Amino acid sequence: MSQNLSIAQMMAQLEARVAHHEKQEALHSEQEALYRDKAAFYREQLEAARAHLEAFRAASVAAGELLVRDTSVATQEPEPPADVDVRRRKALSRMMARVIEELPADAVFGATSLTWTIRKRWGAKLRRQPDPRSVATTLRRWAAGGRIERVRGGRAHNEGLYRKRPQAVPDE
């Protein structure tokens, strides 16, 4: 402080400094209490989340052990389908037959869905993508020959729909 200040001025400055520090201490004490409460809240939430996680881990381990021990419901690995040689003659017919063979018995299909499946499965190997009109022609020929069953005939804006021929159930 400067030597030229009077005692009253020095007292006023010191009182102002004390008041400022009291306000700051009160503010920080308030914030400390607020953050202490928040920290306690999040600590409780963390403990609850950890307890749920541990319970879930224990349940999943127990369920996994049960599935490993239970041989009555053994999951069968699907065997990979034998690949069709896309370079040979009549490859489109063989690919169509493979797709139809893998469909469920009651599934209804058309030329568009078969073409989409063929493109999805073998598209990268094909030199030329199959034309839905060629697929539709083959489906019509197979339906006329009795290989598949026609569900709905095709029209100009509606494709023909087909399904597998129902399998004959042998008499017992």
Side-chain angles (χ1 to χ4, degrees):
M1 289 199 169
S2 164
Q3 299 287 356
N4 298 339
L5 291 178
S6 69
I7 293 179
Q9 289 174 335
M10 284 192 266
M11 291 270 292
Q13 285 183 358
L14 288 173
E15 286 173 357
R17 188 175 287 176
V18 167
H20 171 73
H21 288 304
E22 285 175 347
K23 285 181 189 175
Q24 289 298 315
E25 186 214 3
L27 175 70
H28 289 292
S29 295
E30 213 175 281
Q31 287 180 345
E32 181 183 3
L34 173 69
Y35 287 120
R36 190 178 311 118
D37 291 344
K38 281 190 176 184
F41 171 76
Y42 286 115
R43 198 174 303 114
E44 291 171 7
Q45 294 296 318
L46 176 63
E47 290 303 317
R50 281 183 179 158
H52 287 123
L53 178 62
E54 289 303 317
F56 184 74
R57 281 183 181 156
S60 65
V61 167
E65 290 173 357
L66 175 68
L67 291 175
V68 167
R69 282 184 286 164
D70 190 9
T71 58
S72 64
V73 189
T75 58
Q76 297 177 349
E77 291 293 325
E79 60 185 48
D83 207 14
V84 174
D85 185 10
V86 297
R87 303 285 183 214
R88 292 182 57 199
R89 294 185 65 199
K90 298 184 182 179
L92 181 60
S93 295
R94 282 194 298 277
M95 289 185 281
M96 288 173 57
R98 177 70 50 80
V99 171
I100 293 171
E101 178 183 298
E102 293 172 358
L103 290 174
D106 58 342
V108 176
F109 54 89
T112 305
S113 64
L114 284 180
T115 304
W116 183 83
T117 306
I118 289 169
R119 286 179 179 169
K120 182 179 170 191
R121 189 179 294 174
W122 292 288
K125 296 179 182 179
L126 297 173
R127 277 184 271 171
R128 199 176 65 212
Q129 296 298 313
D131 184 17
R133 293 175 295 184
S134 300
V135 173
T137 302
T138 304
L139 289 174
R140 279 194 307 275
R141 194 174 24 140
W142 287 355
R147 190 170 174 182
I148 58 176
E149 184 177 276
R150 179 178 290 185
V151 174
R152 181 184 78 190
R155 298 282 180 258
H157 296 289
N158 295 324
E159 70 176 343
L161 296 179
Y162 304 89
R163 71 173 160 225
K164 290 183 188 181
R165 178 125 345 240
Q167 299 295 328
V169 179
D171 293 330
E172 291 182 28

